[in-house]
C-alpha cells in the first residue's frame, strides 16, 4: 500500500537533511517523491546508466557495487544513494540492486537539482561524500591523525649529522625530527644531508642544528589529508611534522599518502582473488587494521565498515576453497562452505576469529570423507595464516561434527529445537547465523526455511532461546548508570562486545525466529522485523538508533587503538568518553534493556 503524504512527511522529518526543511516546503516536496516497490534481486540502476533521481530507502535493503562488481555499501532505511552520480553529470558511478524487499523513494532529477539550488545546506550535504557511502580513500574527508605515523624518530640538534644518518638507516626512514623536551625544533631529511653536507663538502660531524630546516611547516592532527597533499605540492616538500600545542605527535610523508590511497577493499579483494598461497593473502589481510582506521576516519557507518571487512574474509575463504580443489582435485560430491558468527552476519571488525562449517551432499560415499577433511584442514589453516585465528570453541569445519551430510544437519536442528538443552541453545544461536560462502547453495535453502518454520512453531524452544539471549545484559547499574567490569584484567572497562552489541544481536535473532525471517545481518533483521510486524515502528527505530550508537562507538574505539599502535579489542574505558557521549551511550543501553525486558516478559513490541 502506498504511503500517504502524511506518513511520508513523518518519515522525511526523521531523515537528514529533510528534517531541517521548513514544514511548508516539506508539504510541497512529499508528493513529488515517487514510491517504488522492490523485492530481493531487483535491479535499481546499473553502472553508467542515466539516473532518474535521488533514491532514499524507506524500507528494505539495497546493495551498492563499484565498477568491478565489488560491494561497497549495504543501505537500509533512511539512507540515500545516487547523489554521487547526480552531482557528477547525472550518470551512475556505481550499480545498485535490492537485497531485501521494501519501498524506495525517488526524488526526480529535476526536483533534486531545484532543491539543491533552493536550499544551500542541502547542497552542501549532498555535494560532500555522505557518511554511510564509500568512495575509496578520500583525503578530503580523512583527518591527518588517521594517516600520520605516530612516535616519529627524533634526535637533538646537538647530535652530529652522521649519527642522524645512522638513525635514518637503522629505522629505514628518510627524515628525523629535531626536538627539545618534546617540542619540535626542526627537521632533517636525506635531501638535506645530500645537499647541505655531501654536496657542500661539510664534515659528517656537523651538528644537526646547522643544516636542519628550522621551524618547518606543520599541521595539526585535526587537519585533513588534502591539506597535507596541497602543502607538499605547493612547497615541494615530502615530510610534514604533525604537532599539537608545539609538541610533536606524528609525521606524514609522501610514502604515507601513497600507502593510504593504495588501500581499498576493491584492490584487496582483487589481490586475494589472484593469490596463489595463504601467505600471499596474509600480506593483504594484514592491511585490514589500517583499512578499518581509514574507513572509520572517512565517516563510514559501522554497518558499511563491517560489511566491507567481512567481504574480504569471504573472498579469502572462496580463494582458499579454489586452491584446495586445485590441489585435491574436483570434490567427489557437492558441498557448501558456510560462515557463522560475525562473518556470517557480515559484522566483522578488527577482532575476528573464524567460525565455519561444511554441509555435504547426502550422496557422500564412505571413502569421500577424507577429501573433505583435507579440504577443511587446508582452508581453516589458510584462514588462520591470514589472521582469522582458529576458533577457541572449535566451531570449524575441521571438527567432524561440523562437517556432515545435509541429512545429519537436518537432524542437528531438529534435535536442538525438540530438546533445547543449554548446549542446544548455544549451538542453535551460533548456527542460526549461518551464511553460504562457497559451493552449492541449494544445500542450504530448504534447510534454512525448514528450521525457521520448526523453530517458530515450537514455543518452548523459542522461550529457551529468549532466556539464553537475555544472559547478555547491557552494562547498566543502579539508577541505570554505566556499570564497568569490577575486577580482573579489564577492570573499570565496558565490554562493548558481550554487553554492547551482542544483546542487540541476540534480540535480532529472536525477532528473526519469531517472524521466520531469513535475514542474518543484525540490522537487516531489525528492519525485516519491523516490516513483518514482529517489532513496532517505534521499537524498531529506537533499537536501530541504539544499536548504531553502540556499534559505532565500539568501532571508533578499535580504530583509535590501532592508530595508537595497539591491538584492537572490545574493552572501552568510560573515562575516555565525554559526559555527552557517556549520557547517550547510557540511553542506548537503556533502550536495549527495555526491549530485552519486553521480550523476556512475552510482550510484543507492536503497540
Amino acid at each position: 500500500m502506498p504511503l500517504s503524504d502524511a506518513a511520508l512527511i513523518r518519515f522525511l522529518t526523521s531523515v537528514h537533511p529533510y528534517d531541517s526543511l521548513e514544514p511548508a516546503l516539506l508539504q510541497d516536496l512529499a508528493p513529488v517523491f515517487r514510491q517504488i516497490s522492490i523485492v530481493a534481486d531487483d535491479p535499481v540502476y546499473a553502472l553508467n546508466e542515466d539516473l532518474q533521481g535521488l533514491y532514499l530507502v524507506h524500507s528494505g535493503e539495497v546493495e551498492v557495487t563499484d565498477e568491478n562488481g565489488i560491494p561497497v555499501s549495504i543501505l537500509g532505511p533512511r539512507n540515500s544513494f545516487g547523489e554521487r552520480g547526480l552531482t557528477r553529470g547525472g550518470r551512475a558511478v556505481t550499480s545498485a540492486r535490492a537485497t531485501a524487499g521494501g519501498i524506495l523513494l525517488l526524488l526526480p532529477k529535476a526536483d533534486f537539482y531545484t532543491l539543491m539550488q533552493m536550499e544551500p545546506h542541502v547542497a552542501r550535504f549532498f555535494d560532500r561524500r555522505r557518511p554511510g557511502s564509500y568512495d575509496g580513500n578520500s583525503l578530503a574527508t580523512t583527518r591527518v591523525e588517521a594517516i600520520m605515523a605516530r612516535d616519529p624518530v627524533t634526535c637533538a640538534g646537538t647530535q652530529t649529522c652522521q649519527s642522524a644518518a645512522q638513525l635514518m638507516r637503522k629505522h629505514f626512514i628518510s627524515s628525523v625530527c629535531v626536538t627539545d623536551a618534546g617540542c619540535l625544533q626542526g627537521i632533517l631529511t636525506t635531501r638535506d644531508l645530500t645537499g647541505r653536507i655531501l654536496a657542500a663538502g661539510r664534515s659528517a660531524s656537523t651538528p644537526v642544528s646547522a643544516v636542519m630546516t628550522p621551524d618547518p611547516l606543520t599541521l595539526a592532527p585535526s587537519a585533513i589529508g588534502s591539506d597535507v597533499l596541497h602543502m607538499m605540492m605547493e612547497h615541494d616538500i615530502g615530510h610534514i611534522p604533525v604537532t599539537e600545542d608545539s609538541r610533536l605527535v606524528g609525521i606524514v610523508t609522501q610514502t604515507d599518502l601513497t600507502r593510504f590511497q593504495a588501500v581499498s577493499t576493491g584492490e584487496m579483494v582483487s589481490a586475494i582473488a589472484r593469490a596463489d598461497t595463504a601467505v600471499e593473502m596474509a600480506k593483504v589481510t594484514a592491511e585490514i587494521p589500517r583499512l578499518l582506521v581509514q574507513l572509520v576516519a572517512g565517516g563510514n557507518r559501522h554497518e558499511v565498515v563491517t560489511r566491507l571487512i567481512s567481504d574480504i574474509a569471504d573472498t579469502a575463504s572462496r580463494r582458499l576453497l579454489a586452491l584446495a580443489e586445485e590441489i585435491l582435485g574436483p570434490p567427489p560430491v557437492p558441498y557448501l562452505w558456510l560462515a557463522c558468527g560475525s562473518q556470517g552476519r557480515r559484522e566483522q571488525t578488527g577482532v575476528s576469529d573464524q567460525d565455519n562449517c561444511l554441509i555435504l551432499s547426502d550422496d557422500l560415499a564412505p571413502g569421500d570423507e577424507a577429501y573433505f577433511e583435507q579440504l577443511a584442514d587446508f582452508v581453516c589453516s589458510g584462514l588462520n595464516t591470514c589472521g582469522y585465528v582458529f576458533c577457541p570453541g572449535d566451531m570449524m569445519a575441521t571438527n567432524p561434527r561440523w562437517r556432515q551430510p545435509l541429512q545429519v544437519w537436518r537432524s542437528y536442528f531438529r534435535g536442538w529445537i525438540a530438546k533445547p538443552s543449554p548446549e542446544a541453545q548455544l549451538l542453535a544461536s551460533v548456527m542460526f547465523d549461518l551464511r553460504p560462502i562457497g559451493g552449492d547453495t541449494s544445500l542450504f535453502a530448504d534447510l534454512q526455511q525448514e528450521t525457521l518454520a520448526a523453530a517458530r512453531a515450537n514455543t518452548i524452544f523459542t522461550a529457551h532461546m529468549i532466556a539464553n539471549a537475555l544472559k547478555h545484559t547491557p552494562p547498566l547499574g543502579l539508577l541505570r548508570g554505566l556499570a564497568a567490569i569490577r575486577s580482573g584484567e579489564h577492570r573499570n572497562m565496558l565490554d562493548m562486545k558481550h554487553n554492547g552489541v551482542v544483546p542487540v544481536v541476540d534480540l535480532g535473532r529472536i525477532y528473526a525466529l519469531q517472524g521466520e525471517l531469513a535475514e542474518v545481518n543484525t540490522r537487516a533483521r531489525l528492519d525485516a522485523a519491523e516490516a513483518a510486524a514482529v517489532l513496532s515502528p517505534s521499537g524498531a527505530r529506537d533499537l536501530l538508533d541504539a544499536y548504531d550508537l553502540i556499534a559505532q562507538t565500539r568501532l571508533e574505539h578499535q580504530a583509535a587503538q590501532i592508530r595508537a599502535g595497539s591491538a584492537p579489542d572490545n574493552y572501552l574505558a568510560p573515562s575516555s568518553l565525554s559526559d555527552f557521549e557517556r549520557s547517550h551511550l547510557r540511553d542506548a543501553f537503556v533502550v536495549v534493556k527495555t526491549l530485552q525486558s519486553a521480550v523476556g516478559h512475552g510482550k510484543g513490541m507492536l503497540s
Side-chain angles (χ1 to χ4, degrees):
M1 180 181 297
L3 298 167
S4 66
D5 284 354
L8 185 51
I9 290 171
R10 282 198 301 273
F11 176 73
L12 291 175
T13 56
S14 70
V15 180
H16 196 63
Y18 307 105
D19 57 353
S20 62
L21 299 180
E22 293 293 329
L25 181 54
L26 269 182
Q27 290 280 355
D28 294 337
L29 190 64
V32 174
F33 278 92
R34 285 171 45 198
Q35 299 183 33
I36 303 171
S37 295
I38 54 171
V39 297
D41 291 326
D42 272 355
V44 181
Y45 59 72
L47 181 70
N48 293 323
E49 182 179 308
D50 282 327
L51 289 167
Q52 298 179 54
L54 177 72
Y55 292 88
L56 173 62
V57 183
H58 176 271
S59 56
E61 187 177 87
V62 172
E63 180 183 71
V64 178
T65 54
D66 66 13
E67 65 273 14
N68 299 311
I70 303 299
V72 294
S73 60
I74 185 163
L75 307 175
R78 298 178 181 82
N79 278 310
S80 295
F81 60 101
E83 67 268 24
R84 286 175 55 209
L86 290 173
T87 55
R88 298 183 187 182
R91 300 183 73 85
V93 295
T94 56
S95 299
R97 70 175 183 92
T99 52
I103 297 174
L104 297 182
L105 303 176
L106 174 67
L107 182 62
K109 186 186 301 186
D111 297 289
F112 171 70
Y113 290 142
T114 299
L115 181 63
M116 295 268 281
Q117 292 172 351
M118 291 174 54
E119 300 291 332
H121 68 284
V122 173
R124 285 194 299 272
F125 180 81
F126 286 117
D127 278 341
R128 63 181 174 82
R129 183 164 64 88
R130 296 277 316 281
S133 66
Y134 179 59
D135 189 24
N137 297 330
S138 173
L139 291 174
T141 57
T142 303
R143 287 162 62 106
V144 165
E145 64 182 355
I147 305 172
M148 70 184 189
R150 294 173 182 271
D151 300 321
V153 176
T154 63
C155 71
T158 54
Q159 289 183 231
T160 66
C161 286
Q162 181 178 22
S163 66
Q166 290 170 341
L167 268 178
M168 294 186 206
R169 183 181 63 182
K170 176 182 177 182
H171 294 281
F172 302 99
I173 54 177
S174 56
S175 68
V176 290
C177 292
V178 185
T179 59
D180 181 16
C183 292
L184 181 68
Q185 303 295 308
I187 186 169
L188 182 72
T189 69
T190 52
R191 188 163 68 175
D192 295 330
L193 292 174
T194 301
R196 299 175 183 175
I197 295 293
L198 288 178
R202 301 175 72 174
S203 169
S205 61
T206 302
V208 166
S209 59
V211 293
M212 71 180 187
T213 299
D215 300 319
L217 294 170
T218 65
L219 286 171
S222 58
I224 58 176
S226 57
D227 294 337
V228 177
L229 180 61
H230 295 165
M231 186 177 284
M232 286 182 174
M233 297 296 287
E234 181 180 353
H235 300 281
D236 190 27
I237 55 178
H239 308 78
I240 297 179
V242 182
T243 59
E244 201 163 29
D245 297 328
S246 299
R247 299 189 68 81
L248 180 70
V249 294
I251 189 168
V252 183
T253 67
Q254 288 177 333
T255 302
D256 294 322
L257 287 188
T258 301
R259 188 184 297 120
F260 170 82
Q261 292 179 302
V263 177
S264 73
T265 53
E267 292 184 358
M268 292 174 75
V269 164
S270 178
I272 290 171
R274 296 193 307 268
D276 292 323
T277 65
V279 173
E280 287 182 27
M281 292 183 216
K283 294 176 182 177
V284 181
T285 55
E287 298 294 327
I288 288 176
R290 190 149 53 84
L291 174 69
L292 184 149
V293 170
Q294 292 175 192
L295 290 173
V296 172
N300 292 279
R301 288 169 59 95
H302 70 92
E303 71 270 23
V304 175
V305 178
T306 56
R307 169 63 184 267
L308 293 173
I309 289 175
S310 299
D311 286 344
I312 294 171
D314 290 357
T315 305
S317 301
R318 284 190 287 268
R319 182 56 182 156
L320 288 165
L321 287 169
L323 291 174
E325 289 189 22
E326 288 178 13
I327 295 170
L328 302 173
V333 297
Y335 72 88
L336 179 61
W337 185 277
L338 304 99
C340 47
S342 60
Q343 184 187 354
R345 296 190 304 274
R346 285 189 168 119
E347 293 168 5
Q348 284 190 312
T349 65
V351 187
S352 295
D353 57 5
Q354 57 175 291
D355 299 282
N356 46 60
C357 64
L358 268 173
I359 298 178
L360 310 176
S361 167
D362 287 335
D363 295 331
L364 187 76
D368 295 339
E369 166 60 25
Y371 176 95
F372 292 106
E373 180 180 358
Q374 293 177 71
L375 181 138
D377 285 341
F378 183 90
V379 176
C380 290
S381 295
L383 289 172
N384 185 67
T385 299
C386 291
Y388 306 102
V389 298
F390 292 125
C391 173
D394 205 18
M395 190 73 69
M396 297 180 294
T398 49
N399 183 338
R401 187 179 186 185
W402 310 126
R403 188 179 67 244
Q404 292 292 333
L406 178 58
Q407 60 182 349
V408 175
W409 279 98
R410 281 197 164 97
S411 69
Y412 282 166
F413 280 102
R414 282 197 298 265
W416 294 334
I417 293 169
K419 297 180 180 179
S421 66
E423 184 195 31
Q425 295 166 37
L426 175 63
L427 293 174
S429 294
V430 174
M431 293 303 176
F432 275 129
D433 292 349
L434 285 176
R435 181 172 59 87
I437 300 297
D440 187 347
T441 56
S442 67
L443 291 170
F444 183 63
D446 291 342
L447 175 63
Q448 185 187 38
Q449 293 171 358
E450 292 168 11
T451 301
L452 286 170
R456 183 181 187 186
N458 190 320
T459 55
I460 294 176
F461 171 75
T462 304
H464 279 278
M465 286 291 289
I466 290 172
N468 187 62
L470 298 183
K471 292 177 181 177
H472 295 114
T473 58
L476 293 170
L478 292 176
L479 305 178
R480 295 196 168 179
L482 292 177
I485 299 169
R486 294 184 177 180
S487 60
E489 179 185 358
H490 303 295
R491 185 171 177 267
N492 296 327
M493 302 282 189
L494 300 177
D495 186 340
M496 295 298 292
K497 178 181 178 180
H498 294 102
N499 301 117
V501 296
V502 167
V504 187
V505 169
D506 289 341
L507 283 172
R509 189 182 300 113
I510 294 301
Y511 297 139
L513 290 176
Q514 292 176 334
E516 233 174 291
L517 308 173
E519 285 78 3
V520 177
N521 174 265
T522 299
R523 231 182 172 282
R525 278 172 165 169
L526 299 179
D527 284 331
E530 178 185 4
V534 175
L535 188 60
S536 72
S538 61
R541 255 194 325 271
D542 288 347
L543 189 53
L544 280 167
D545 287 346
Y547 178 54
D548 286 343
L549 179 62
I550 295 166
Q552 196 75 33
T553 302
R554 175 197 185 199
L555 210 57
E556 290 173 356
H557 162 67
Q558 291 188 1
Q561 289 181 304
I562 295 168
R563 285 199 304 269
S566 303
D569 63 27
N570 293 297
Y571 298 98
L572 171 69
S575 58
S576 68
L577 303 173
S578 68
D579 289 343
F580 180 85
E581 290 169 325
R582 281 197 299 273
S583 175
H584 280 272
L585 190 59
R586 182 199 62 227
D587 290 344
F589 288 138
V590 169
V591 168
V592 177
K593 184 69 175 177
T594 300
L595 284 159
Q596 281 188 326
S597 179
V599 168
H601 287 88
K603 297 176 183 177
M605 291 303 299
L606 303 178
S607 57

